[in-house]
């Protein structure tokens, strides 16, 4: 951990809330809104989220699975995300979500006309904006948690090894 956490304090709550009270709660509200108000399907949502988590290396994000109405993506979905180009587990929307997340995070200048033709054939403008905001949130906040070492302090039990 790269931030000193007071004895007995929960690391995420302290860093995101108490340490920077003018910014942290607003960032937290944005992060939560991505989950609470998304209109994207669970598979494309998770494909994009997990691809960003793989790129960021955030342990907590890699271990987390979004749940909606008692549903989560299937076991092995994370591995399919890593193989988004070749997996037969994805439909076009899910594959594009993973591709967009990767390119947004690693090569946003390379998002060319051919990509946007494919994207707009499968996603509405509102969905593209929503996916872009979601990816931006995961990229920024997952990376923040990883860089500051918060992801190793706040991992789910399955990631503790």
């Amino acid at each position: 951990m790269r931030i000193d956490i007071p004895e007995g304090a929960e690391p995420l709550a302290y860093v995101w809330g108490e340490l920077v009270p003018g910014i942290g709660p607003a960032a937290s509200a944005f992060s939560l809104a991505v989950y609470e108000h998304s209109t994207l399907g669970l598979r494309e949502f998770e494909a994009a989220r997990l691809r960003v988590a793989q790129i960021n290396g955030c342990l907590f994000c890699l271990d987390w699975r979004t749940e909606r109405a008692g549903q989560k993506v299937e076991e092995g979905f994370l591995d399919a995300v890593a193989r988004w180009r070749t997996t037969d587990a994805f439909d076009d929307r899910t594959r594009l979500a993973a591709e967009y997340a990767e390119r947004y995070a690693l090569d946003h200048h390379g998002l060319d006309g051919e990509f946007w033709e494919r994207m707009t054939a499968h996603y509405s403008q509102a969905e593209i904006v929503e996916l872009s905001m979601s990816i931006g949130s995961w990229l920024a906040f997952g990376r923040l948690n990883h860089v500051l070492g918060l992801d190793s302090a706040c991992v789910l039990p399955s990631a503790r090894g």
Side-chain angles (χ1 to χ4, degrees):
M1 174 111 34
R2 290 161 186 85
I3 301 295
D4 295 328
I5 307 297
E7 186 72 32
E10 195 281 316
L12 280 177
Y14 175 74
V15 171
W16 282 69
E18 296 178 48
L19 195 57
V20 288
I23 300 171
S28 180
F30 175 51
S31 180
L32 289 173
V34 165
Y35 292 89
E36 292 176 0
H37 302 291
S38 179
T39 64
L40 298 168
L42 181 60
R43 291 179 64 77
E44 57 250 20
F45 184 90
E46 282 292 272
R49 189 189 66 74
L50 287 168
R51 188 63 195 120
V52 171
Q54 290 168 338
I55 291 164
N56 281 343
C58 179
L59 299 173
F60 183 85
C61 301
L62 286 166
D63 200 37
W64 173 264
R65 295 298 174 274
T66 302
E67 183 176 330
R68 290 194 191 148
Q71 298 293 310
K72 292 183 180 183
V73 293
E74 70 273 9
E75 192 71 30
F77 192 84
L78 178 65
D79 293 331
V81 169
R83 301 181 332 272
W84 65 263
R85 289 172 184 81
T86 59
T87 185
D88 59 2
F90 290 174
D91 63 13
D92 290 338
R93 282 177 60 95
T94 305
R95 188 177 319 281
L96 272 167
E99 178 182 359
Y100 185 38
E102 180 176 301
R103 293 178 73 173
Y104 186 107
L106 300 174
D107 185 28
H108 63 284
H109 292 287
L111 293 167
D112 57 12
E114 181 275 329
F115 171 80
W116 288 115
E117 282 181 33
R118 290 186 293 118
M119 195 69 174
T120 57
H122 294 281
Y123 284 90
S124 70
Q125 289 184 355
E127 289 173 322
I128 291 169
V129 171
E130 181 178 327
L131 188 56
S132 300
M133 288 182 172
S134 297
I135 292 168
S137 169
W138 301 320
L139 183 62
F141 301 138
R143 192 162 291 179
L144 177 148
N145 287 338
H146 181 70
V147 167
L148 297 181
L150 297 171
D151 64 330
S152 62
C154 299
V155 294
L156 298 173
S158 63
R160 289 193 194 279

